[in-house]
Structure formats: structure tokens, C-alpha cells
Amino acid sequence: MTVSGKTVLVTGASRGIGAAIAGALGGAGASVIAHYGSHRQGAVDALADVPEDRVAYVQCDLAEAGAARALWRDAVAVRPRIDVVVVNAAIAPETPFDGPDDVWDAGWEQTMRVNVLEPASLVREAVAHFRANGGGIVISLSSWAGQQGSALPQLTAYAASKAALKALTQTVARNFAQDDVLAYVVAPGIVRTRMSGISAAARGGVDKVLAILPLGEMVPPEEVAAVVVFLASGTCRHLTGATIDVNGAAYVR
């Protein structure tokens, strides 16, 4: 069970879960192509302990139409053979039901572009690459909100986008397994990152969030990263298509 010698592209590698994933993969021996939007230093810090010959950085604003295809071109220009793609980058603008129409429309459009449309294009590029090169792995970061809907009505677009990403990934798993293309979904609960501040504020503070969690704590991003490293190893091929919940029993199916 190892990722040593593999090349992994991680989107959103400069903050939160993505930074933890990039660091864990690099620490486990993988070569990491770290995507970032504007915060390059975060990606650099996440991979500070990884030898320079196993690290590359690619900048891309996924809010722009067609950006994911450019990201893929830049990635394969650095490493012609990519073995794993981790689709992690996401945004969560509020889309309140009782807000103004322009806020609703803009929030949905931004969320779908960054969380669904560009990731779908990236996955499409990756699948073509994998099929032509003997296989590969797609790992998508969904959310427990994508499985059960969001408890916060102002995050409707975010929940919908994470459900769409899950369906996209499972479709890849079902249709390209015979090409040795494996696809997994990781669905975290409330993870201890900057984004968890949205949940905390909406619920009345961190203490209110911790009170609804069976373990009494948010998910450490390092635990999500450990799951991704395991999946990236390709050890359990028959897990392809599965959704791995990482929420401390806060949502049990």
C-alpha cells in the first residue's frame, strides 16, 4: 500500500483539506502537482518538507470558464504521466432563500462553475489520459451535505454542487472500470478549516457546532488526508465507486 513513485494532481492545495492532502501525499512518497488559485504560499508551505524534485505548482482560477482544461495542460507539461487526480477545490458562497435575486443567481453561478463545471472538465481530461495510459485514479471531495442536504438553508448551492460531484465520480467508476480507471468519493463532515467558520457562525458559535458532533470535535483535515492517501494507493480496487464518510458518526447511513 503505497503512493511512492506516483504523480498526483491536487486541486485547491493551498488551504484546508487540500493543503493537508498535498502534504500527506508528498510525505508518503508521491510527486505532487499542487494547484492553487491565488495563495501560492499556502501550497508551498504544505509541501515544504517534500523534496523539490517531487513538487510542482500550477496556478489556475477555476471561476473562469475553460480554466480546468488549461490547468490540465499545464499539469501534463510538468509531468507527462499523471496517475491520480484529487478534485478538492471548492467554494461555498451563501445563497439564502430569503436574500435578493442577484445574490442567489450569482452564488449559484459561481458555485456551479468552481465546484461542478470546471471539476467535470478536469475529470474528463483525466479519464482520457488514464484510458490512454493504462489506468488511473480519480478521488473527489464531496461532503456530507451532498449526501443528506445542508442543515443550513443558505448553503443550498454548495450542497447541490457536492451531490453533483459525487454523481459525476460514480459515473466514471461505473463506466471506465474495465479501463482500470478507479474513482472514489470522500465525503467529510465538518472539518477543522477556515470554511468551518461558516457553519460555526450560522449555528451560533463553535460550541454549538461541537455539541452536535458525537466525538465532540471537528474532523482534523489530516484524517481526511490519510483516507485520500490510502485511496490513491489503488490497493482496494473494488472500493471503486464507493463514498467514504469521514464525519465522526455525525451522519451514519
Side-chain angles (χ1 to χ4, degrees):
M1 188 178 72
T2 181
V3 294
S4 181
K6 291 190 175 187
T7 296
V8 186
L9 170 61
V10 182
T11 67
S14 62
R15 292 187 172 96
I17 296 173
I21 289 171
L25 286 164
S31 293
V32 180
I33 304 173
H35 156 260
Y36 65 96
S38 58
H39 185 43
R40 177 187 172 93
Q41 190 58 48
V44 172
D45 292 344
L47 293 162
D49 295 330
V50 182
E52 290 184 3
D53 63 342
R54 289 199 282 110
V55 175
Y57 303 96
V58 289
Q59 190 279 333
C60 173
D61 183 359
L62 293 174
E64 298 178 359
R69 294 189 182 98
L71 168 59
W72 182 261
R73 288 195 298 269
D74 290 344
V76 294
V78 174
R79 298 274 182 174
R81 174 66 169 108
I82 296 174
D83 302 289
V84 183
V85 172
V86 180
V87 183
N88 165 75
I91 58 173
E94 293 191 3
T95 50
F97 279 89
D98 55 359
D101 291 347
D102 60 339
V103 171
W104 175 270
D105 292 345
W108 272 89
E109 289 173 6
Q110 292 166 6
T111 302
M112 290 299 110
R113 173 60 61 189
V114 175
N115 295 9
V116 181
L117 298 177
E118 294 309 311
S121 291
L122 183 65
V123 169
R124 180 172 177 251
E125 296 290 335
V127 168
H129 178 80
F130 295 157
R131 295 181 75 193
N133 289 279
I137 297 173
V138 174
I139 303 171
S140 294
L141 273 293
S142 181
S143 167
W144 66 341
Q147 321 303 310
Q148 59 177 340
S150 176
L152 306 176
Q154 62 268 40
L155 293 183
T156 306
Y158 175 77
S161 74
K162 289 302 185 177
L165 184 62
K166 171 180 179 285
L168 165 69
T169 308
Q170 291 175 324
T171 299
V172 170
R174 293 190 66 182
N175 287 277
F176 301 108
Q178 291 189 356
D179 295 314
D180 206 23
V181 177
L182 309 177
Y184 309 103
V185 180
V186 179
I190 300 176
V191 183
R192 193 179 62 235
T193 65
R194 289 191 322 150
M195 195 174 286
S196 64
I198 298 173
S199 179
R203 287 182 165 92
V206 173
D207 290 343
K208 295 290 182 64
V209 173
L210 300 183
I212 67 172
L213 302 177
L215 287 177
E217 63 182 20
M218 298 182 191
V219 179
E222 295 78 14
E223 290 193 11
V224 181
V227 172
V228 171
V229 172
F230 166 68
L231 296 174
S233 73
T235 301
C236 289
R237 296 175 65 254
H238 286 266
L239 268 179
T240 189
T243 299
I244 312 299
D245 294 315
V246 189
N247 59 53
Y251 171 57
V252 179
R253 296 188 282 160

